[in-house]
């Protein structure tokens, strides 16, 4: 028997260069104004055909797989069911996910896997859906999933799911610092609401400056304009990460910020070489379980059909 058709995609993590959060709406969600960048830290999603009626088989492996259920609650499973229902076919596939992006880390790892699954299945099933159609479906899976379908650099509004492309020049080099334990996104938003009620939260207002910095590809300018309203909340829940900001400055990085809802910290370097030196220093700072040099923006997931 021939080997089943297999499609592989690499799905990048995201960071937020700017994340401004409005007060919660009646549905509990917060309107955002955010600049997303996909970065060169990837999970790999592989999908293969299974015999008719066999259903979904999901396997999760890799250094960051720990604790991630491979059941129906997994976003990969949910995206497979959603796409199959959308096009009226049975979801008979084997899916394997190689997790390199840490869980609950503010890097949209689960959203990246969901987006990667949609792109991979579109190719495996020969659906010919474009990114806009996939991103529309992706909005039903989570606020960050539409951006993860597109990748690159984009401005997000609404829940973060309404996107417009942003012009960027060149690339930016970063060091990511991983914390020992993840943070729950709803808990971080709730902490921001609590801090603001006590008049201790921020409300940043520098979107125009961030867009100028990325348009010029200028890391010094970008460092001066990075901002994240969720940072005080993440640091309030994880005060042990505060020394990381100082460690980043001591390592000579241009800017230091919590990534998304945290707890991953992101440090902006002058260039790739500087990022490698800063990473070496930060890995010895005693705050992180691991550090990783990445760059962005990078393209979103692209499907590769493997020889059968
Ligand atoms: O959309 P997603 O499932 O990623 O959101 C997870 C949680 O983060 C939501 O349940 C909500 O508590 C919070 N959230 C929010 N406002 C947003 C996005 C997420 O309050 N714009």
């Amino acid at each position: 028997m021939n080997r089943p058709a297999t499609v592989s995609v690499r799905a990048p993590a995201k960071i937020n260069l700017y994340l401004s959060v409005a007060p919660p709406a009646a549905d509990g969600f917060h309107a955002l104004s955010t600049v997303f960048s996909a970065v060169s830290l990837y999970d790999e999603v592989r999908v293969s055909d299974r015999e008719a009626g066999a259903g979904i088989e999901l396997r999760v492996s890799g250094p960051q797989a720990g604790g991630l259920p491979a059941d129906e609650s997994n976003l990969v499973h949910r995206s497979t069911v959603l796409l199959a229902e959308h096009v009226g076919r049975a979801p008979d596939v084997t899916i394997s996910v190689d997790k390199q992006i840490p869980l609950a880390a503010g890097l949209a790892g689960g959203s990246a896997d969901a987006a990667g699954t949609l792109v991979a299945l579109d190719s495996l099933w020969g659906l010919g859906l474009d990114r806009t159609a996939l991103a529309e479906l992706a909005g039903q899976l989570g606020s960050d999933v539409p951006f993860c379908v597109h990748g690159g650099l984009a401005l997000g509004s609404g829940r973060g799911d309404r996107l417009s492309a942003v012009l960027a020049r060149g690339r930016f080099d970063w060091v990511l610092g991983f914390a020992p334990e993840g943070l729950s996104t709803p808990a971080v938003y709730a902490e921001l609401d609590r801090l603001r009620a006590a008049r201790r939260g921020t409300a940043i207002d520098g979107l125009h400056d961030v867009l100028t910095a990325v348009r010029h590809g200028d890391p010094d300018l970008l460092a001066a304009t990075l901002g994240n309203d969720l940072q005080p909340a993440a640091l309030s829940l994880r005060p042990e990460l505060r020394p990381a900001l100082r460690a980043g400055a001591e390592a000579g990085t241009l800017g230091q910020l919590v990534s998304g809802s945290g707890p991953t910290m992101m440090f902006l370097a002058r260039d790739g070489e500087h990022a490698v030196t800063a990473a070496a220093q930060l890995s010895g700072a005693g705050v992180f379980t691991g550090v990783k040099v990445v760059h962005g923006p990078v393209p979103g997931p692209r499907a590769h059909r493997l020889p059968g």
Side-chain angles (χ1 to χ4, degrees):
M1 190 187 128
N2 286 342
R3 280 205 289 159
T6 297
V7 170
S8 164
V9 307
R10 291 200 310 162
K14 68 86 188 144
I15 57 176
N16 302 79
L17 312 185
Y18 178 87
L19 179 51
S20 150
V21 182
D27 63 3
F29 275 82
H30 299 70
L32 307 180
S33 172
T34 187
V35 179
F36 291 108
S37 172
V39 293
S40 58
L41 169 63
Y42 300 94
D43 283 348
E44 191 198 8
V45 180
R46 267 181 195 220
V47 297
S48 313
D49 282 325
R50 279 182 104 190
E51 67 199 63
I56 300 171
E57 180 190 37
L58 175 56
R59 304 180 195 139
V60 184
S61 62
Q64 301 292 344
L68 182 65
D71 61 15
E72 285 159 25
S73 69
N74 192 300
L75 266 181
V76 167
H77 199 287
R78 288 176 47 208
S79 28
T80 305
V81 171
L82 181 69
L83 184 61
E85 278 175 1
H86 180 71
V87 299
R89 62 171 293 152
D92 297 322
V93 282
T94 298
I95 309 175
S96 42
V97 183
D98 176 21
K99 289 260 2 133
Q100 303 288 330
I101 307 172
L103 308 178
L107 296 168
S111 303
D113 299 345
T117 303
L118 294 176
V119 170
L121 290 176
D122 174 69
S123 168
L124 184 75
W125 293 340
L127 303 176
L129 296 172
D130 63 16
R131 299 272 152 171
T132 308
L134 291 177
E136 196 153 314
L137 271 181
Q140 297 178 42
L141 297 162
S143 308
D144 290 338
V145 189
F147 170 73
C148 291
V149 166
H150 287 287
L153 200 83
L155 178 60
S157 60
R159 294 180 174 191
D161 55 343
R162 291 216 311 264
L163 298 166
S164 46
V166 168
L167 212 59
R169 178 175 297 174
R171 70 176 222 181
F172 295 101
D173 296 278
W174 304 88
V175 182
L176 301 181
F178 304 132
E181 224 184 300
L183 268 176
S184 137
T185 303
V188 176
Y189 276 100
E191 180 66 3
L192 172 64
D193 296 340
R194 194 188 68 79
L195 289 178
R196 282 180 169 168
R199 299 190 180 282
R200 283 169 49 219
T202 56
I204 55 169
D205 179 20
L207 178 62
H208 177 78
D209 297 334
V210 181
L211 295 178
T212 304
V214 296
R215 206 162 42 239
H216 287 90
D218 182 335
D220 285 299
L221 202 54
L222 181 59
T225 57
L226 291 171
N228 181 359
D229 277 334
L230 293 179
Q231 172 159 303
L235 292 178
S236 166
L237 296 173
R238 286 292 154 74
E240 64 275 20
L241 288 175
R242 286 185 190 282
L245 296 171
R246 200 171 47 248
E250 281 166 9
T253 59
L254 306 178
Q256 305 84 31
L257 198 70
V258 165
S259 173
S261 55
T264 302
M265 306 285 307
M266 48 194 258
F267 303 94
L268 180 57
R270 270 192 307 278
D271 52 33
E273 205 176 315
H274 179 213
V276 172
T277 340
Q281 194 166 333
L282 281 164
S283 71
V287 189
F288 301 120
T289 51
V291 299
K292 174 95 185 153
V293 171
V294 298
H295 63 268
V298 297
R302 297 271 180 281
H304 299 282
R305 200 165 266 270
L306 303 179

